Amino acid sequence: MKKNVVLFSKIPADQQARLEQAFNLTLFDRTPETEPKAFIKALANADGMIGSNMPTRIDDSFLCQTPKLKAASTISVGFDNYDLAALKKHGVRLMNTPKVLTEGTADLIFTLLMATARRTVELSNLIHNGQWTKSITPEYYGSDIHGKTIGILGMGRIGKAIAKRAHHGFDMNVIYYNRSAQPDAEQAFNAKKLELDEVLKTADFIVIILPLTPETDRLITKEKLALMKPSAILINGARGRVIDEQALIAALKSKTIKAAGLDVFEVEPLPTSSPLLQLDNVLLSPHVGSATVETRYAMAKCAVDNIIAALKDEKPTENWVNPEVG
Ligand code: DGY
């Protein structure tokens, strides 16, 4: 008998067709207003779930209401919305899509870095608003990127892809903060591992690409921001909660750091009341690290492979996040 799977994100038709062939597929059409209760109800009889950005955290109380659930396939590399201890308790396998989005996400983070440093959006808006009436004066000058020091917080796959761009493309000096040393990055990109405070004090560009865990939750506090140079630019492509957002707003307002490029926020979508929207020295993008046609297709395919392997073939793929579940 076919197993029941709930798909709660839009994916390409050919990948949805693979799910329809393998499972009894139910589509859960999520809107920003979707109540967690409706989501839980849709999953009450499900063996598997696949999608991204669900409307609630998958924790013990959620899993008590989805007793048949055996596998969750997230269309993302991040899985901070899943409580791993609860998944273990309820015997639910979790798979993610780590490799396919590495280069695309590094591209977006570098885009944010370059556009923030060179004030691309601000200067484009100036022309759109009919304000380019004379040569640009020093208050509109940007900052050099080539030859500067980039401090990467999180030297995993994406961190290394950023280091590659920085070292080979822009002749930048690469320093990093990571739990463990990464000799491959040290060799390939001349990267140097330092303590967090040293990275913050030294770098011209701080790029955050750490996973959100209890250890990294609000890692970048007011005190940590105060260590950065006044000329430094902060880029966050990880999760909003890695930074104390109120402290960041204060640092940007008082210009104790120069500017920020942010793809992620404490609350998403970013509320229209956010003070970030009032600041000129912040460039915003709507959590689009992996949002290219090619990468999102590859992520959907990978997530479909993952759920089929876990539920149908009973052979989890290499993207199995919690093998301790068995
Ligand atoms: C990821 O894959 O984790 C991206 O941030 C999208 O959620």
Side-chain angles (χ1 to χ4, degrees):
M1 217 173 70
K2 281 186 174 179
K3 294 197 167 130
N4 298 326
V5 167
V6 174
L7 169 66
F8 56 96
S9 289
K10 288 213 182 337
I11 62 171
D14 60 336
Q15 297 308 317
Q16 186 172 320
R18 289 178 66 208
L19 291 175
E20 280 160 353
Q21 207 187 7
F23 305 114
N24 283 323
L25 190 70
T26 305
L27 303 182
F28 180 73
D29 201 5
R30 186 171 42 83
T31 67
E33 291 76 40
T34 298
E35 292 288 331
K37 264 198 270 174
F39 189 50
I40 293 172
K41 198 167 159 215
L43 283 157
N45 203 28
D47 301 287
M49 59 192 276
I50 172 168
S52 59
N53 301 329
M54 61 263 182
T56 182
R57 186 166 163 75
I58 309 300
D59 56 12
D60 186 45
S61 95
F62 182 98
L63 293 170
C64 283
Q65 299 170 76
T66 59
K68 284 185 65 190
L69 200 66
K70 283 280 160 282
S73 176
T74 180
I75 311 177
S76 64
V77 62
F79 47 85
D80 41 283
N81 253 339
Y82 291 84
D83 177 337
L84 292 184
L87 292 181
K88 186 172 176 198
K89 176 176 163 198
H90 292 270
V92 180
R93 289 175 173 173
L94 174 65
M95 285 82 47
N96 67 345
T97 62
K99 290 188 186 161
V100 291
L101 51 68
T102 302
E103 298 296 335
T105 305
D107 284 348
L108 185 275
I109 290 175
F110 231 87
T111 303
L112 272 184
L113 185 155
M114 294 179 71
T116 308
R118 297 306 300 264
R119 304 171 65 171
T120 314
V121 173
E122 197 183 341
L123 293 172
S124 172
N125 287 342
L126 182 124
I127 303 179
H128 276 289
N129 297 336
Q131 291 168 309
W132 188 24
T133 53
K134 57 183 171 56
S135 288
I136 288 304
T137 44
E139 70 268 26
Y140 288 109
Y141 291 173
S143 307
D144 272 347
I145 301 161
H146 64 275
K148 293 284 185 76
T149 294
I150 185 169
I152 303 177
L153 311 189
M155 193 54 97
R157 282 195 192 91
I158 302 173
K160 287 173 192 167
I162 295 164
K164 177 174 69 180
R165 286 156 177 74
H167 176 71
H168 291 303
F170 292 84
D171 208 10
M172 294 176 94
N173 174 35
V174 180
I175 57 178
Y176 72 100
Y177 163 75
N178 200 62
R179 263 192 318 200
S180 55
Q182 296 297 310
D184 54 341
E186 294 180 11
Q187 211 190 351
F189 317 124
N190 205 16
K192 194 166 166 214
K193 181 174 184 288
L194 297 175
E195 294 302 322
L196 177 59
D197 288 5
E198 281 313 303
V199 176
L200 292 169
K201 279 184 206 161
T202 315
D204 300 300
F205 295 92
I206 295 289
V207 173
I208 307 179
I209 193 65
L210 287 161
L212 177 64
T213 63
E215 292 74 42
T216 63
D217 199 344
R218 304 226 166 78
L219 177 72
I220 305 303
T221 55
K222 179 177 164 203
E223 291 71 27
K224 297 289 182 206
L225 289 166
L227 297 174
M228 290 173 62
K229 298 183 195 177
S231 57
I233 290 175
L234 178 83
I235 307 296
N236 189 5
R239 289 289 183 264
R241 290 234 338 234
V242 176
I243 307 182
D244 176 340
E245 200 168 272
Q246 291 314 311
L248 175 63
I249 291 166
L252 288 165
K253 262 191 192 157
S254 60
K255 305 237 162 74
T256 58
I257 66 170
K258 185 165 186 187
L262 307 174
D263 187 45
V264 288
F265 307 90
E266 275 197 11
V267 177
E268 295 180 4
L270 185 66
T272 52
S273 59
S274 169
L276 285 169
L277 297 173
Q278 309 306 324
L279 299 175
D280 288 336
N281 54 347
V282 60
L283 187 63
L284 309 168
S285 59
H287 200 148
V288 287
S290 60
T292 66
V293 175
E294 298 86 347
T295 299
R296 285 286 164 92
Y297 182 87
M299 290 167 72
K301 179 173 181 311
C302 176
V304 171
D305 290 345
N306 287 341
I307 194 103
I308 289 177
L311 280 181
K312 197 160 177 278
D313 302 341
E314 288 295 329
K315 278 187 291 189
T317 63
E318 59 174 350
N319 305 319
W320 193 7
V321 171
N322 58 351
E324 68 276 10
V325 167

